[in-house]
Amino acid sequence: MFLSVFDMFKVGVGPSSSHTMGPMVAAARFLDLLRASPFDAHGLRASLHGSLAFTGVGHATDRATILGLAGFLPDSYDHEKAESALEKIRTTGHVHPEGLPPLAFEPREDLKFDFGPNLPGHANGMILMATDAQGDVILQETYYSIGGGFVLTEGELEGGAATDEGTPIPYPFKSAAEMLEMAEHSGKSIAEMKRSNEIARGCTESLNKGCARIWQVMNDCIERGLTTDGTLPGGLNVRRRAKGIHDALQAERGMNLVAPHTINDWMSAYAMAVNEENAAGGQVVTAPTNGAAGVMPAVIRYWLDHVPSASASRVEEFLLTAAAIGGLVKFNASISGAEAGCQAEVGSASAMAAAGLCAVMGGTPEQVENAAEIALEHHLGMTCDPVKGLVQVPCIERNGLGAIKAVSAASLALRGDGHHFVPLDAVIETMRQTGADMHEKYKETSLGGLAVNVPNC
């Protein structure tokens, strides 16, 4: 089993990796399919299904699909160009992606929200179509956005592409137990094994530069969030709070009367800064999803700014360790809120962050596994019920609490010797089973929980 650190951490655009980035990526893949097709296309159509339909407007899925069909991609997204393109599409009723002629696409008519049964492969399904001059479908593909910006076609999903092992790697662990066994036999840390696997699929230079960029984008996102106030878009009129909290914390610095638990407010401010940027459609890093994007950078920033002897030179070790844990969760369960609730998003992020922090603070592989287990165990059963389908309430605060739990989990693990009662593999399997048993209304459909018990205006 191999998932690259750059699979787990992708530079993209808010507010959702599965509902915004995924559909944009799917649309780009469909354009590539169309470019290679012998058919002469004149128009495009799209239908959104399952969670993509129920919370699509709040997650900007419609906008992402339109922009994807116009040729935009998450990692190179330019907000001003996107706004200009959307206005032109509304005016002309056409998209003009590179390498293709202008294609008829009237969003109000050609983009359909289908609130019927889910497509069979996943809760996040979409169908993209190309039509001829008479309006008949000449090319069609079904895509599934399976969480964290990962996209598979119907054929790829049925063919097992989600579990494809690819070319051999030095340390092919598929479970935490195998990971610990390989660490013991090799004498390597989890990050060192992960690094060897990454190098086997790429090169050291691209790994170093890529990790440096991931942290730069994360930290830049924190800084934007800490210096921006105002009201978030979407209609809930949620006020940005990270800047105000951070300003107050800075004003209190140096005072002897500040309570020790105030450190939790620093972590929350860092996490909320990221998720407020995400809610505003800004540039974020999926970690492992956009809805959980604040946990990892908040814990890294906490470590760098508040823990003695922390060093930015070890951020790559943090990311590699976290990616190893995230890969296990994704491979054996899910990181998709639409599939398994928020336990799969913020819970996974907290486990990844706990593992990374434990590693850079000197934890053994056994302690790292214990840290991840503690963090994930105490997110089990968490539902995904965003109010009005927006990645705002309870998502923004929830990232702050996920970061706090991650730090607590790492600290508890470091106080022990790595031996513990519940193995990480058991918690991951429990999370999978809990997600399977969870009612659909609690899995990113906004049909239950807070989404129906809190006024939407």
Side-chain angles (χ1 to χ4, degrees):
M1 188 277 297
F2 176 81
L3 283 169
S4 172
V5 64
F6 305 118
D7 289 326
M8 299 310 300
F9 305 118
K10 302 184 186 77
V11 176
V13 59
S16 172
S17 49
S18 58
H19 288 60
T20 312
M21 289 174 58
M24 194 178 289
V25 169
R29 290 190 61 182
F30 186 72
L31 292 180
D32 286 339
L33 189 66
L34 190 55
R35 292 183 185 104
S37 170
F39 300 115
D40 184 15
H42 286 258
L44 298 172
R45 293 179 194 160
S47 61
L48 306 174
H49 301 258
S51 182
L52 294 186
F54 284 108
T55 62
V57 174
H59 285 68
T61 307
D62 47 352
R63 174 191 172 93
T65 303
I66 297 165
L67 289 172
L69 292 174
F72 284 78
L73 286 168
D75 61 355
S76 58
Y77 179 81
D78 184 297
H79 180 74
E80 290 187 6
K81 289 182 180 179
E83 289 298 318
S84 176
L86 285 170
E87 181 59 32
K88 187 174 182 180
I89 293 166
R90 295 188 190 101
T91 302
T92 66
H94 285 76
V95 294
H96 194 171
E98 184 177 351
L100 289 167
L103 298 167
F105 186 78
E106 171 51 62
R108 288 171 296 183
E109 298 177 5
D110 297 321
L111 179 59
K112 178 183 178 183
F113 289 81
D114 190 322
F115 299 104
N118 292 354
L119 295 179
H122 192 276
N124 293 332
M126 62 189 299
I127 300 173
L128 299 178
M129 297 157 276
T131 58
D132 61 16
Q134 288 73 46
D136 296 324
V137 175
I138 56 174
L139 184 66
Q140 178 174 308
E141 185 61 88
T142 299
Y143 295 92
Y144 293 105
S145 181
I146 62 173
F150 291 89
V151 172
L152 294 174
T153 65
E154 184 175 47
E156 288 169 343
L157 191 66
E158 292 175 352
T163 56
D164 183 18
E165 296 182 20
T167 57
I169 52 176
Y171 303 99
F173 50 83
K174 299 179 183 177
S175 68
E178 290 180 356
M179 178 182 72
L180 292 178
E181 183 180 358
M182 290 181 187
E184 182 179 2
H185 289 166
S186 67
K188 292 180 179 290
S189 69
I190 294 169
E192 286 170 338
M193 292 192 297
K194 182 64 176 167
R195 169 178 274 275
S196 296
N197 289 346
E198 294 285 343
I199 291 173
R201 296 287 181 94
C203 70
T204 304
E205 183 179 6
S206 63
L207 176 61
N208 296 341
K209 288 182 178 179
C211 286
R213 184 184 181 229
I214 291 298
W215 170 237
Q216 185 66 59
V217 174
M218 284 181 171
N219 200 39
D220 287 348
C221 187
I222 291 175
E223 290 300 322
R224 289 195 307 274
L226 292 178
T227 56
T228 306
D229 53 19
T231 302
L232 294 171
L236 286 181
N237 297 316
V238 172
R239 292 183 299 107
R240 285 180 179 251
R241 296 161 59 199
K243 181 181 184 299
I245 295 171
H246 186 248
D247 289 347
L249 288 168
Q250 285 186 311
E252 294 169 3
R253 265 186 162 168
M255 294 183 180
N256 294 327
L257 298 179
V258 175
H261 66 252
T262 300
I263 192 61
N264 291 335
D265 298 341
W266 283 96
M267 284 184 272
S268 291
Y270 297 146
M272 291 168 66
V274 172
N275 284 86
E276 286 172 356
E277 281 294 293
N278 179 64
Q283 186 182 60
V284 298
V285 175
T286 62
T289 66
N290 282 27
V295 178
M296 279 280 299
V299 175
I300 296 175
R301 183 67 177 264
Y302 155 77
W303 170 62
L304 290 174
D305 287 4
H306 302 276
V307 177
S309 75
S311 170
S313 64
R314 299 187 68 189
V315 168
E316 183 177 303
E317 179 185 353
F318 195 119
L319 293 174
L320 288 169
T321 304
I325 299 301
L328 292 177
V329 176
K330 186 180 187 309
F331 183 78
N332 293 296
S334 176
I335 58 170
S336 168
E339 193 170 29
C342 197
Q343 58 173 358
E345 296 206 22
V346 170
S348 298
S350 188
M352 293 164 65
L357 180 62
C358 186
V360 296
M361 292 187 67
T364 64
E366 291 78 13
Q367 289 172 317
V368 169
E369 183 262 0
N370 187 196
E373 178 272 321
I374 293 170
L376 185 57
E377 179 180 350
H378 298 290
H379 282 88
L380 289 176
M382 185 177 284
T383 58
C384 183
D385 47 356
V387 177
K388 203 177 178 180
L390 299 168
V391 194
Q392 297 179 19
V393 179
C395 320
I396 294 171
E397 280 185 358
R398 188 169 283 178
N399 274 257
L401 273 294
I404 292 168
K405 284 186 182 181
V407 173
S408 296
S411 184
L412 283 173
L414 287 165
R415 294 289 183 183
D417 61 4
H419 293 89
H420 54 103
F421 190 78
V422 180
L424 176 59
D425 289 328
V427 178
I428 292 174
E429 174 58 18
T430 302
M431 191 260 274
R432 185 195 67 78
Q433 293 176 6
T434 303
D437 291 340
M438 191 179 289
H439 195 286
E440 290 297 319
K441 69 182 181 180
Y442 298 118
K443 295 195 281 190
E444 210 166 0
T445 58
S446 290
L447 296 176
L450 285 175
V452 299
N453 288 300
V454 175
N456 281 204
C457 59

